[in-house]
Amino acid sequence: MKQLFVAATSAIALASGSAFAAVIDFETVAVSGSEIVDGTTITNAAGVSLPFVSSIEVISNGSSSRLITFDTAEEAAAPSTEDPDLITPFADGEFPGDIAIIADDASTPPSDDEAKGGLVEFVFTVPVTMESIKFFDVKEATVKLFSDAAASVQIGTDFVISGLDTNSPTNPGGGNLSEVLDLMDTAGVLSLQIVLNESGGFDDITFQPIPVPGALPLMIGGAALLGAAGRRRRQR
């Protein structure tokens, strides 16, 4: 009877499952300026790991709708960029490594973000629970979450982060900052939009794929075995 109970409870544990965090961190690209996406085509040949992502669309407010990597450490070692406020270390002590930026033109290097900003849309292969996104050197960024792949049904309200670009006419050379935007474990997300109002970048898109109860038949079978064993014991 003890062995039967263990089998049944194991089946129930399998059915409940345990969520795990997936992270899009842009750290697998070796060269700064490697292209992640051009228009609506994911260029996985660049080596970028994009877990659970089916498509990306980039709409720049400038001339080039391209998402590229920016290696903040590499640029610090051998500066070739027109955007020194994305070079490590950040004013808050962060060393982010590779981040994603919207390119300012059609060619790289040099790597430079689009000072006019733009929109990046990620569509997931399965519904996910959104946890957080880390932003760098943005004056303001907005994240919108949607329950459909067409990004037509928004979940909740906009998430907004601001004040990470302190460089201004009144504060020339102001420090570059980073911050994690908490997306409040918003569940049922099939697409998200990141809107940059000006320059800046992002990294560490963290989410949990919503588990499918594939072990449910095991749970039902285990419960049936428990019921049968109980009936046999009562009949003795």
Side-chain angles (χ1 to χ4, degrees), residues 16-94:
S16 63
S18 58
F20 63 93
V23 181
I24 301 174
D25 63 6
F26 309 107
E27 289 296 338
T28 57
V29 177
V31 180
S32 179
S34 295
E35 187 172 277
I36 301 169
V37 61
D38 183 0
T40 59
T41 304
I42 300 175
T43 54
N44 278 332
V48 180
S49 175
L50 298 172
F52 300 99
V53 173
S54 64
S55 66
I56 303 175
E57 183 174 3
V58 185
I59 303 174
S60 173
N61 293 335
S63 59
S64 173
S65 293
R66 299 171 63 246
L67 192 68
I68 65 172
T69 59
F70 184 96
D71 186 341
T72 61
E74 179 180 305
E75 293 291 350
S80 62
T81 179
E82 299 171 5
D83 198 352
D85 54 354
L86 286 177
I87 292 177
T88 58
F90 276 56
D92 51 12
E94 287 291 315

Side-chain angles (χ1 to χ4, degrees), residues 11-12 14-16 212-222:
I12 294 171
L14 284 170
S16 63
V212 177
L216 185 59
L218 291 176
M219 180 182 70
I220 295 172

Side-chain angles (χ1 to χ4, degrees), residues 83 99 198 228:
D83 198 352
I99 65 175
E198 291 186 19

Side-chain angles (χ1 to χ4, degrees), residues 160-236:
V160 180
I161 189 168
S162 62
L164 304 184
D165 180 1
T166 61
N167 186 31
S168 68
T170 58
N171 184 31
N176 48 352
L177 303 174
S178 63
E179 186 175 331
V180 175
L181 177 61
D182 186 358
L183 300 178
M184 307 297 290
D185 290 332
T186 303
V189 176
L190 264 177
S191 60
L192 74 87
Q193 293 178 348
I194 298 173
V195 183
L196 303 175
N197 69 335
E198 291 186 19
S199 62
F202 57 89
D203 195 11
D204 295 343
I205 302 174
T206 305
F207 57 92
Q208 292 187 5
I210 295 177
V212 177
L216 185 59
L218 291 176
M219 180 182 70
I220 295 172
L225 286 173
L226 277 176
R231 286 193 297 273
R232 286 197 299 269
R233 187 172 61 178
R234 286 193 299 269
Q235 292 169 358
R236 290 177 182 176

